[in-house]
Amino acid sequence: MTPDELLAVVGADAAVGAFGCLTLDVDPDRWLTTATTLRDAAGCDFFDWLSAYDDGAAGLAVVVRVWSVEGRHGVLVRTRVDRDSGSLPTLTPVWAGAAWHERETREMFGIEFTGHPDPRLLLLPDGFEGNPLRKEFVLASRVAKEWPGAKEPGESVAGRKRPLGVPAPNEWGDA
Amino acid sequence: MAEPTTVTWGHTYRLHTFDVGLACCAVEFVAAAARRDEMDALGVRPFAAEPREADVMVVSGTVTDKLAPQVKRLYDGMPAGSFVVSFGSCANCGGPYWDSYSVTKGIDQLIPVDVYVPGCPPRPEALLGGLAALHDRVGT
């Protein structure tokens, strides 16, 4: 199945091929229907992975990659959800293997997957507060103590910029 | 009986160790402990099948907050007065993950540690040195 044929089946608005990989950008309301179409009409029967990344002001991007074992073609599907109240329908009815990936994405980014059969924390201990893979998540240890290493010989700790995501000491605390 | 020395450790008493291998240091520990002649000379019998058969627990690898209760549970399953060896930087203090959101910064927050073996990973000689230091503790 060529990329154009796949596009015709899925009927997505945009497709960007990066590194030879077909990428579909869809709206959140078409998340589940696109997944179902990919499985049933495009033969993508193998769930590869699902994750997310923090895209700053553009929101949180959720990415899922699926693969057709028989057709040997894969598709990357991406959508963007709101930072504060982002939610997506779960893909577990389409691919059961999505369950653990959605659990991890939920706890790491704070995205709800509505209808998930088992929305417990997967990797984080019970009672954990915050979503560690968001850019605004503060690594408390780095606030108390700067990273002591050096990437280059002679690179001194003094005067180095703060690591990404760590506020200045007087900004630490309630906003 | 004479004071135990390096020569007599091997036939004074035996320390049965139980390895809690959680990350890459587990492989390093197994490689070091597989030297049976070295271990016999130190009177150490590695690879106990379960905690209650062991005198020494060796925690090797990165302990996460999620898994920390299980490490504590294994320690509680050992006979009273057992010893704990913390093997590698992660078990000692969090190691390269000192700023992580999920890594326990040292197992001494959970259980009492008798000997810390430094290194990332520690060399096999460091394990031998740690076990020798443990003998000093056992003997006193």
Side-chain angles (χ1 to χ4, degrees), chain A residues 122 124 128 139 141-142 145, chain B residues 65-66 98-99 101 105:
Chain A
L122 178 68
L124 296 176
F128 191 92
L139 295 173
S141 302
R142 289 196 178 187
K145 182 184 189 330
Chain B
D65 292 340
K66 185 86 167 184
W98 64 279
D99 56 354
Y101 55 84
K105 314 298 186 297

Side-chain angles (χ1 to χ4, degrees), chain B residues 1-15 38-45 127-140:
Chain B
M1 196 177 72
E3 277 291 301
T5 65
T6 310
V7 180
T8 59
W9 272 341
H11 50 87
T12 312
Y13 50 78
R14 290 212 170 273
L15 292 175
E38 303 263 26
M39 293 293 125
D40 280 342
L42 282 170
V44 172
R45 180 64 56 85
L127 175 66
L128 299 177
L131 292 172
L134 185 67
H135 271 289
D136 289 340
R137 263 188 93 91
V138 175
T140 55

Side-chain angles (χ1 to χ4, degrees), chain B:
Chain B
M1 196 177 72
E3 277 291 301
T5 65
T6 310
V7 180
T8 59
W9 272 341
H11 50 87
T12 312
Y13 50 78
R14 290 212 170 273
L15 292 175
H16 294 255
T17 69
F18 175 73
D19 181 29
V20 184
L22 299 168
C24 30
C25 264
V27 184
E28 302 290 336
F29 172 80
V30 170
R35 280 292 301 272
R36 297 306 279 264
D37 49 346
E38 303 263 26
M39 293 293 125
D40 280 342
L42 282 170
V44 172
R45 180 64 56 85
F47 313 126
E50 51 182 323
R52 64 179 178 176
E53 296 178 1
D55 316 298
V56 183
M57 185 165 110
V58 181
V59 182
S60 53
T62 316
V63 184
T64 58
D65 292 340
K66 185 86 167 184
L67 204 65
Q70 304 302 322
V71 176
K72 178 80 165 66
R73 191 175 62 85
L74 288 171
Y75 175 76
D76 291 340
M78 293 179 66
S82 296
F83 297 91
V84 176
V85 174
S86 173
F87 184 80
S89 290
C90 285
N92 290 346
C93 62
Y97 312 107
W98 64 279
D99 56 354
S100 165
Y101 55 84
S102 62
V103 172
T104 306
K105 314 298 186 297
I107 58 163
D108 48 10
Q109 296 179 19
L110 312 165
I111 53 180
V113 176
D114 295 282
V115 173
Y116 299 86
V117 179
C120 184
R123 291 185 57 83
E125 300 92 307
L127 175 66
L128 299 177
L131 292 172
L134 185 67
H135 271 289
D136 289 340
R137 263 188 93 91
V138 175
T140 55

